[in-house]
Amino acid sequence: MSIIKLHDKYFKKFITENQIENAISLLVKQVSEDLKDETPIFIGILNGSFMFVADFVRKYNYNCEVSFVKLSSYNGTNSTGKIKQLVGVNEDLEGRTVVILEDIIDTGNTLQEIYEIFKDKKLKQLKIATLFFKPDVFKKELPIDYIGISIPDKFIVGYGLDYDNLGRNLADIYQLTTEPKMKNIVLFGPPGAGKGTQADLLKVKYNLEHISTGEVFRYNIKNETELGKLAKSFMDKGDLVPDNVTIDMLKAEVDKTPDANGFIFDGFPRTESQASALDEFLEEKGETISGMVALEVPEDLLVERLLERGKTSGRADDQDESKIRNRFNEYNTKTAILKDYYQTQNKYFGVNGVGAISEITERLSEVFDKL
Ligand code: IMP
Ligand code: MG
């Protein structure tokens, strides 16, 4: 998953599930060393901290109690500064060690309120642990005992944190980013589905750059470049060119036109790892794949079309039915996974690829207009 949209705003992947887990392990280690000989009460600050608390206490291997306080200060992406206590502390905390588990400390207004709440509870001690911390915004002279990950002053969502109530369920942390400007479309479909023909028409209509992996490779092969010779050895067998070669070539191709309105990717990505490499690459630019548009055509019709094309194009891989079938097998086993990849992001659009060229262009345009 790359750039996501919540309400009106866009967010890009920022901290992975794995990095979060590592940070929590370190926090647990520090807290355990300090408190393993007593029974601390971990108090999570709701709503944001529910995931953090669950993962933290699961890793904490000594006696402890768990409770929650519900506070609220944020409205949209701005701290309001006014903290409301919605569910208070019920336990008798006298003489106890309390460890506050916060998802994030930003301005410190909430933290100040926490110190207020526990001030007259006659605790043995009050410790503060926060998973995320924004040092550039923190204005208070209040101690924070354990810090997981310090981050820049940019709004984040995921792992319990929300933007107007959305995003709490995301396993990774996403950071606010600018709205993507490009229309980037993965044009998809089995060999012979008419991707190239349609891409040529659509790139003009929508002012997009068309990147056909096959064409770029054939150009390189014809000119006997290093990459071309390498690619040829695979293509002649009807096999796919290895990911790293293809990905580097595609990146270079995209970087040739940095001011493009967007790209039509034709023949790429073909594997899930290519798709996530493409997502990562676009994400660095604050861009994303707008959608995968797939032409759907029955296989027998395709074999017929390809053999016809082979007669005139001279493409070796279009002249032999068993090589064509081999490409379909590759397509079905590897590439169909991509449908799932984009579908889980709500970015998959199937289009009926049987009919006159103009009819199909019309159907594709309906999808392109939406993206
Ligand atoms: P503070 O009172 O300004 O320190 O803000 C603390 C509370 O604001 C946190 O417990 C969160 O609920 C919320 N908050 C602060 N920064 C973010 C953010 O980047 N994303 C989501 N919520 C945030
Ligand atoms: Mg909070």
Side-chain angles (χ1 to χ4, degrees), residues 91-139:
E91 294 87 346
D92 178 11
L93 300 174
E94 193 174 334
R96 304 293 303 269
T97 290
V98 168
V99 181
I100 298 299
L101 297 181
E102 256 290 31
D103 47 351
I104 186 164
I105 295 177
D106 184 327
T107 62
N109 287 334
T110 309
L111 183 63
Q112 184 166 32
E113 181 63 20
I114 288 165
Y115 274 108
E116 283 297 314
I117 292 169
F118 291 94
K119 186 176 66 184
D120 53 3
K121 297 275 190 283
K122 302 196 181 89
L123 305 181
K124 179 183 167 198
Q125 56 178 342
L126 179 64
K127 300 259 187 197
I128 310 290
T130 187
L131 179 55
F132 299 108
F133 177 53
K134 293 182 180 168
D136 301 339
V137 222
F138 187 65
K139 301 266 167 42

Short mmCIF file of all heavy atoms in Angstrom, two decimals, residues 91-139:
data_model
loop_
_atom_site.label_atom_id
_atom_site.label_comp_id
_atom_site.label_asym_id
_atom_site.label_seq_id
_atom_site.Cartn_x
_atom_site.Cartn_y
_atom_site.Cartn_z
N GLU A 91 -9.28 3.50 39.88
CA GLU A 91 -8.51 2.72 40.85
C GLU A 91 -7.95 3.57 41.99
O GLU A 91 -7.73 4.77 41.82
CB GLU A 91 -7.32 2.03 40.15
CG GLU A 91 -7.69 0.98 39.13
CD GLU A 91 -7.93 1.54 37.74
OE1 GLU A 91 -8.07 2.79 37.59
OE2 GLU A 91 -8.00 0.74 36.79
N ASP A 92 -7.72 2.92 43.09
CA ASP A 92 -6.99 3.57 44.18
C ASP A 92 -5.50 3.43 43.85
O ASP A 92 -4.98 2.32 43.78
CB ASP A 92 -7.30 2.88 45.51
CG ASP A 92 -6.52 3.50 46.66
OD1 ASP A 92 -5.91 4.59 46.44
OD2 ASP A 92 -6.51 2.92 47.76
N LEU A 93 -4.84 4.54 43.63
CA LEU A 93 -3.47 4.49 43.14
C LEU A 93 -2.44 4.84 44.21
O LEU A 93 -1.25 4.95 43.93
CB LEU A 93 -3.31 5.45 41.95
CG LEU A 93 -4.22 5.16 40.75
CD1 LEU A 93 -4.08 6.25 39.71
CD2 LEU A 93 -3.91 3.80 40.14
N GLU A 94 -2.90 5.00 45.42
CA GLU A 94 -2.01 5.44 46.48
C GLU A 94 -0.84 4.48 46.66
O GLU A 94 -1.03 3.26 46.75
CB GLU A 94 -2.77 5.57 47.80
CG GLU A 94 -1.94 6.32 48.84
CD GLU A 94 -2.74 6.60 50.12
OE1 GLU A 94 -3.98 6.68 50.08
OE2 GLU A 94 -2.08 6.74 51.17
N GLY A 95 0.36 5.03 46.65
CA GLY A 95 1.56 4.22 46.86
C GLY A 95 1.99 3.40 45.65
O GLY A 95 2.93 2.62 45.74
N ARG A 96 1.28 3.55 44.53
CA ARG A 96 1.57 2.72 43.36
C ARG A 96 2.49 3.42 42.36
O ARG A 96 2.58 4.64 42.33
CB ARG A 96 0.27 2.34 42.63
CG ARG A 96 -0.77 1.63 43.50
CD ARG A 96 -0.29 0.26 43.94
NE ARG A 96 0.05 -0.61 42.83
CZ ARG A 96 -0.80 -1.43 42.23
NH1 ARG A 96 -2.04 -1.51 42.63
NH2 ARG A 96 -0.39 -2.20 41.24
N THR A 97 3.14 2.59 41.55
CA THR A 97 3.91 3.12 40.43
C THR A 97 3.03 3.09 39.18
O THR A 97 2.54 2.03 38.79
CB THR A 97 5.18 2.28 40.19
OG1 THR A 97 6.09 2.51 41.27
CG2 THR A 97 5.85 2.67 38.87
N VAL A 98 2.81 4.27 38.63
CA VAL A 98 1.98 4.36 37.43
C VAL A 98 2.87 4.70 36.23
O VAL A 98 3.72 5.58 36.31
CB VAL A 98 0.89 5.45 37.60
CG1 VAL A 98 0.22 5.77 36.26
CG2 VAL A 98 -0.15 5.02 38.63
N VAL A 99 2.69 3.95 35.15
CA VAL A 99 3.39 4.27 33.90
C VAL A 99 2.34 4.64 32.86
O VAL A 99 1.50 3.81 32.50
CB VAL A 99 4.23 3.07 33.39
CG1 VAL A 99 4.96 3.46 32.10
CG2 VAL A 99 5.21 2.61 34.45
N ILE A 100 2.39 5.88 32.43
CA ILE A 100 1.47 6.33 31.39
C ILE A 100 1.99 5.84 30.03
O ILE A 100 3.17 6.01 29.70
CB ILE A 100 1.40 7.88 31.37
CG1 ILE A 100 0.86 8.42 32.70
CG2 ILE A 100 0.56 8.38 30.19
CD1 ILE A 100 -0.53 7.95 33.05
N LEU A 101 1.12 5.21 29.27
CA LEU A 101 1.48 4.80 27.91
C LEU A 101 0.74 5.71 26.93
O LEU A 101 -0.48 5.61 26.76
CB LEU A 101 1.13 3.33 27.67
CG LEU A 101 1.86 2.31 28.54
CD1 LEU A 101 1.44 0.89 28.18
CD2 LEU A 101 3.38 2.45 28.42
N GLU A 102 1.50 6.59 26.30
CA GLU A 102 0.93 7.53 25.32
C GLU A 102 1.32 7.09 23.92
O GLU A 102 2.44 6.62 23.69
CB GLU A 102 1.48 8.95 25.58
CG GLU A 102 0.52 9.89 26.25
CD GLU A 102 -0.66 10.33 25.38
OE1 GLU A 102 -1.12 9.56 24.51
OE2 GLU A 102 -1.11 11.46 25.58
N ASP A 103 0.41 7.27 22.98
CA ASP A 103 0.73 6.99 21.59
C ASP A 103 1.69 8.05 21.05
O ASP A 103 2.67 7.74 20.39
CB ASP A 103 -0.55 6.93 20.74
CG ASP A 103 -1.49 8.08 21.03
OD1 ASP A 103 -1.25 8.85 21.99
OD2 ASP A 103 -2.48 8.25 20.30
N ILE A 104 1.37 9.31 21.36
CA ILE A 104 2.20 10.39 20.81
C ILE A 104 2.17 11.61 21.72
O ILE A 104 1.13 11.93 22.29
CB ILE A 104 1.72 10.76 19.37
CG1 ILE A 104 2.65 11.78 18.72
CG2 ILE A 104 0.28 11.26 19.35
CD1 ILE A 104 2.47 11.89 17.20
N ILE A 105 3.30 12.26 21.86
CA ILE A 105 3.35 13.54 22.56
C ILE A 105 3.77 14.60 21.56
O ILE A 105 4.81 14.49 20.91
CB ILE A 105 4.30 13.50 23.78
CG1 ILE A 105 3.74 12.52 24.82
CG2 ILE A 105 4.43 14.90 24.39
CD1 ILE A 105 4.62 12.34 26.05
N ASP A 106 2.91 15.60 21.44
CA ASP A 106 3.04 16.64 20.42
C ASP A 106 3.38 17.95 21.14
O ASP A 106 4.53 18.16 21.52
CB ASP A 106 1.69 16.66 19.68
CG ASP A 106 1.63 17.60 18.50
OD1 ASP A 106 2.28 18.66 18.54
OD2 ASP A 106 0.93 17.30 17.52
N THR A 107 2.40 18.79 21.41
CA THR A 107 2.69 20.05 22.10
C THR A 107 2.99 19.82 23.58
O THR A 107 3.65 20.64 24.21
CB THR A 107 1.47 20.99 22.04
OG1 THR A 107 0.37 20.36 22.70
CG2 THR A 107 1.10 21.32 20.61
N GLY A 108 2.45 18.73 24.12
CA GLY A 108 2.63 18.46 25.55
C GLY A 108 1.43 18.91 26.39
O GLY A 108 1.42 18.74 27.60
N ASN A 109 0.41 19.46 25.73
CA ASN A 109 -0.80 19.88 26.47
C ASN A 109 -1.43 18.70 27.19
O ASN A 109 -1.82 18.80 28.35
CB ASN A 109 -1.83 20.49 25.52
CG ASN A 109 -1.41 21.87 25.04
OD1 ASN A 109 -0.67 22.57 25.72
ND2 ASN A 109 -1.86 22.25 23.86
N THR A 110 -1.54 17.59 26.48
CA THR A 110 -2.13 16.39 27.08
C THR A 110 -1.28 15.91 28.24
O THR A 110 -1.80 15.55 29.30
CB THR A 110 -2.26 15.27 26.03
OG1 THR A 110 -2.92 15.79 24.88
CG2 THR A 110 -3.06 14.10 26.57
N LEU A 111 0.02 15.93 28.03
CA LEU A 111 0.94 15.48 29.07
C LEU A 111 0.78 16.32 30.34
O LEU A 111 0.75 15.79 31.46
CB LEU A 111 2.39 15.56 28.56
CG LEU A 111 3.45 15.04 29.51
CD1 LEU A 111 3.26 13.56 29.80
CD2 LEU A 111 4.84 15.29 28.95
N GLN A 112 0.64 17.63 30.13
CA GLN A 112 0.45 18.52 31.28
C GLN A 112 -0.82 18.15 32.05
O GLN A 112 -0.83 18.10 33.28
CB GLN A 112 0.34 19.97 30.77
CG GLN A 112 0.23 20.97 31.90
CD GLN A 112 0.47 22.39 31.41
OE1 GLN A 112 0.14 22.74 30.27
NE2 GLN A 112 1.05 23.21 32.24
N GLU A 113 -1.88 17.86 31.29
CA GLU A 113 -3.14 17.45 31.89
C GLU A 113 -2.96 16.15 32.68
O GLU A 113 -3.50 15.98 33.77
CB GLU A 113 -4.20 17.29 30.79
CG GLU A 113 -5.58 16.89 31.28
CD GLU A 113 -6.24 17.93 32.20
OE1 GLU A 113 -5.81 19.11 32.16
OE2 GLU A 113 -7.14 17.54 32.97
N ILE A 114 -2.17 15.24 32.11
CA ILE A 114 -1.90 13.96 32.79
C ILE A 114 -1.22 14.21 34.13
O ILE A 114 -1.61 13.66 35.16
CB ILE A 114 -1.05 13.04 31.89
CG1 ILE A 114 -1.90 12.54 30.72
CG2 ILE A 114 -0.48 11.86 32.68
CD1 ILE A 114 -1.09 11.93 29.59
N TYR A 115 -0.21 15.08 34.13
CA TYR A 115 0.48 15.41 35.39
C TYR A 115 -0.51 16.00 36.40
O TYR A 115 -0.45 15.71 37.60
CB TYR A 115 1.66 16.34 35.14
CG TYR A 115 2.95 15.60 34.78
CD1 TYR A 115 3.46 15.63 33.48
CD2 TYR A 115 3.65 14.86 35.74
CE1 TYR A 115 4.64 14.94 33.15
CE2 TYR A 115 4.81 14.18 35.43
CZ TYR A 115 5.31 14.22 34.13
OH TYR A 115 6.45 13.54 33.82
N GLU A 116 -1.46 16.83 35.90
CA GLU A 116 -2.50 17.42 36.75
C GLU A 116 -3.36 16.33 37.39
O GLU A 116 -3.59 16.31 38.60
CB GLU A 116 -3.43 18.33 35.93
CG GLU A 116 -2.83 19.69 35.59
CD GLU A 116 -2.56 20.50 36.85
OE1 GLU A 116 -3.45 20.56 37.73
OE2 GLU A 116 -1.44 21.06 36.95
N ILE A 117 -3.83 15.41 36.53
CA ILE A 117 -4.75 14.36 36.97
C ILE A 117 -4.13 13.50 38.08
O ILE A 117 -4.81 13.13 39.04
CB ILE A 117 -5.16 13.46 35.78
CG1 ILE A 117 -6.02 14.24 34.79
CG2 ILE A 117 -5.91 12.21 36.25
CD1 ILE A 117 -6.26 13.53 33.47
N PHE A 118 -2.83 13.21 37.95
CA PHE A 118 -2.21 12.26 38.88
C PHE A 118 -1.50 12.92 40.07
O PHE A 118 -1.03 12.24 40.97
CB PHE A 118 -1.25 11.33 38.12
CG PHE A 118 -1.98 10.39 37.20
CD1 PHE A 118 -2.18 10.72 35.86
CD2 PHE A 118 -2.50 9.19 37.68
CE1 PHE A 118 -2.86 9.86 35.02
CE2 PHE A 118 -3.20 8.33 36.83
CZ PHE A 118 -3.38 8.67 35.50
N LYS A 119 -1.48 14.25 40.04
CA LYS A 119 -0.76 15.03 41.05
C LYS A 119 -1.19 14.71 42.48
O LYS A 119 -0.37 14.51 43.37
CB LYS A 119 -1.00 16.52 40.74
CG LYS A 119 -0.24 17.51 41.56
CD LYS A 119 -0.51 18.93 41.05
CE LYS A 119 -1.98 19.29 41.29
NZ LYS A 119 -2.34 20.61 40.75
N ASP A 120 -2.53 14.63 42.69
CA ASP A 120 -3.04 14.44 44.05
C ASP A 120 -3.45 12.99 44.33
O ASP A 120 -4.26 12.73 45.20
CB ASP A 120 -4.22 15.39 44.30
CG ASP A 120 -5.28 15.25 43.22
OD1 ASP A 120 -5.11 14.38 42.34
OD2 ASP A 120 -6.28 16.00 43.26
N LYS A 121 -2.90 12.06 43.57
CA LYS A 121 -3.29 10.65 43.76
C LYS A 121 -2.32 9.91 44.70
O LYS A 121 -2.42 8.70 44.86
CB LYS A 121 -3.33 9.92 42.41
CG LYS A 121 -4.38 10.47 41.44
CD LYS A 121 -5.76 9.85 41.70
CE LYS A 121 -6.77 10.20 40.60
NZ LYS A 121 -7.31 11.56 40.68
N LYS A 122 -1.39 10.62 45.27
CA LYS A 122 -0.43 10.05 46.23
C LYS A 122 0.30 8.82 45.69
O LYS A 122 0.44 7.78 46.36
CB LYS A 122 -1.13 9.68 47.55
CG LYS A 122 -1.83 10.85 48.22
CD LYS A 122 -2.14 10.49 49.68
CE LYS A 122 -2.86 11.60 50.44
NZ LYS A 122 -4.35 11.51 50.32
N LEU A 123 0.76 8.93 44.44
CA LEU A 123 1.48 7.83 43.81
C LEU A 123 2.85 7.66 44.44
O LEU A 123 3.42 8.61 44.98
CB LEU A 123 1.67 8.11 42.32
CG LEU A 123 0.46 8.40 41.47
CD1 LEU A 123 0.89 8.62 40.03
CD2 LEU A 123 -0.57 7.29 41.58
N LYS A 124 3.39 6.44 44.27
CA LYS A 124 4.79 6.27 44.62
C LYS A 124 5.62 7.01 43.58
O LYS A 124 6.53 7.77 43.88
CB LYS A 124 5.15 4.78 44.64
CG LYS A 124 6.60 4.53 44.97
CD LYS A 124 6.90 3.03 44.90
CE LYS A 124 8.40 2.79 44.90
NZ LYS A 124 8.73 1.45 44.41
N GLN A 125 5.32 6.75 42.33
CA GLN A 125 5.97 7.49 41.24
C GLN A 125 5.13 7.45 39.98
O GLN A 125 4.34 6.54 39.76
CB GLN A 125 7.37 6.93 40.97
CG GLN A 125 7.38 5.45 40.65
CD GLN A 125 8.76 4.93 40.33
OE1 GLN A 125 9.68 5.68 40.01
NE2 GLN A 125 8.94 3.61 40.41
N LEU A 126 5.32 8.48 39.14
CA LEU A 126 4.63 8.56 37.85
C LEU A 126 5.68 8.58 36.76
O LEU A 126 6.58 9.42 36.75
CB LEU A 126 3.78 9.84 37.79
CG LEU A 126 3.02 10.06 36.48
CD1 LEU A 126 1.97 8.99 36.23
CD2 LEU A 126 2.36 11.45 36.47
N LYS A 127 5.58 7.64 35.85
CA LYS A 127 6.52 7.58 34.71
C LYS A 127 5.74 7.76 33.43
O LYS A 127 4.58 7.33 33.33
CB LYS A 127 7.24 6.23 34.66
CG LYS A 127 8.05 5.92 35.90
CD LYS A 127 9.50 6.17 35.63
CE LYS A 127 10.36 5.72 36.80
NZ LYS A 127 11.70 6.34 36.69
N ILE A 128 6.39 8.37 32.44
CA ILE A 128 5.74 8.59 31.15
C ILE A 128 6.51 7.87 30.06
O ILE A 128 7.72 8.04 29.91
CB ILE A 128 5.71 10.10 30.78
CG1 ILE A 128 5.17 10.96 31.93
CG2 ILE A 128 4.93 10.33 29.48
CD1 ILE A 128 3.70 10.80 32.23
N ALA A 129 5.75 7.04 29.30
CA ALA A 129 6.34 6.40 28.12
C ALA A 129 5.51 6.77 26.91
O ALA A 129 4.29 6.66 26.93
CB ALA A 129 6.35 4.88 28.29
N THR A 130 6.16 7.25 25.87
CA THR A 130 5.42 7.57 24.66
C THR A 130 6.05 6.87 23.46
O THR A 130 7.28 6.77 23.36
CB THR A 130 5.35 9.11 24.42
OG1 THR A 130 4.49 9.35 23.31
CG2 THR A 130 6.72 9.72 24.11
N LEU A 131 5.19 6.37 22.60
CA LEU A 131 5.70 5.67 21.42
C LEU A 131 6.30 6.67 20.43
O LEU A 131 7.39 6.50 19.93
CB LEU A 131 4.58 4.86 20.76
CG LEU A 131 4.96 4.09 19.50
CD1 LEU A 131 6.15 3.17 19.71
CD2 LEU A 131 3.76 3.29 18.99
N PHE A 132 5.55 7.75 20.17
CA PHE A 132 6.06 8.79 19.26
C PHE A 132 6.19 10.12 19.98
O PHE A 132 5.43 10.42 20.89
CB PHE A 132 5.10 8.95 18.05
CG PHE A 132 4.97 7.70 17.24
CD1 PHE A 132 3.79 6.96 17.28
CD2 PHE A 132 6.02 7.23 16.47
CE1 PHE A 132 3.66 5.78 16.56
CE2 PHE A 132 5.90 6.05 15.73
CZ PHE A 132 4.72 5.34 15.78
N PHE A 133 7.14 10.91 19.53
CA PHE A 133 7.42 12.19 20.17
C PHE A 133 7.84 13.18 19.09
O PHE A 133 8.63 12.86 18.21
CB PHE A 133 8.55 12.00 21.19
CG PHE A 133 8.99 13.27 21.88
CD1 PHE A 133 8.05 14.08 22.52
CD2 PHE A 133 10.33 13.65 21.90
CE1 PHE A 133 8.45 15.25 23.18
CE2 PHE A 133 10.73 14.82 22.55
CZ PHE A 133 9.79 15.62 23.19
N LYS A 134 7.25 14.40 19.16
CA LYS A 134 7.61 15.45 18.20
C LYS A 134 8.43 16.52 18.91
O LYS A 134 7.86 17.48 19.46
CB LYS A 134 6.34 16.07 17.60
CG LYS A 134 5.51 15.14 16.73
CD LYS A 134 4.30 15.89 16.16
CE LYS A 134 3.45 15.00 15.28
NZ LYS A 134 2.14 15.64 14.98
N PRO A 135 9.75 16.37 18.96
CA PRO A 135 10.60 17.27 19.75
C PRO A 135 10.51 18.74 19.30
O PRO A 135 10.65 19.64 20.12
CB PRO A 135 12.02 16.72 19.53
CG PRO A 135 11.94 15.85 18.33
CD PRO A 135 10.54 15.34 18.26
N ASP A 136 10.24 18.98 18.03
CA ASP A 136 10.21 20.36 17.53
C ASP A 136 9.00 21.14 18.01
O ASP A 136 8.99 22.37 17.95
CB ASP A 136 10.22 20.38 15.99
CG ASP A 136 11.45 19.68 15.43
OD1 ASP A 136 12.45 19.56 16.18
OD2 ASP A 136 11.40 19.25 14.27
N VAL A 137 7.95 20.44 18.46
CA VAL A 137 6.72 21.13 18.88
C VAL A 137 6.55 21.13 20.39
O VAL A 137 5.79 21.92 20.92
CB VAL A 137 5.46 20.43 18.30
CG1 VAL A 137 4.48 21.48 17.81
CG2 VAL A 137 5.79 19.43 17.23
N PHE A 138 7.24 20.23 21.04
CA PHE A 138 7.06 20.08 22.49
C PHE A 138 7.52 21.33 23.22
O PHE A 138 8.68 21.73 23.11
CB PHE A 138 7.84 18.85 22.98
CG PHE A 138 7.60 18.49 24.41
CD1 PHE A 138 6.35 18.07 24.83
CD2 PHE A 138 8.63 18.57 25.34
CE1 PHE A 138 6.12 17.72 26.16
CE2 PHE A 138 8.41 18.23 26.68
CZ PHE A 138 7.15 17.81 27.08
N LYS A 139 6.58 21.96 23.97
CA LYS A 139 6.85 23.27 24.56
C LYS A 139 7.03 23.23 26.07
O LYS A 139 7.27 24.26 26.68
CB LYS A 139 5.67 24.22 24.26
CG LYS A 139 5.39 24.43 22.80
CD LYS A 139 6.11 25.68 22.29
CE LYS A 139 6.11 25.77 20.77
NZ LYS A 139 4.85 25.40 20.14
#
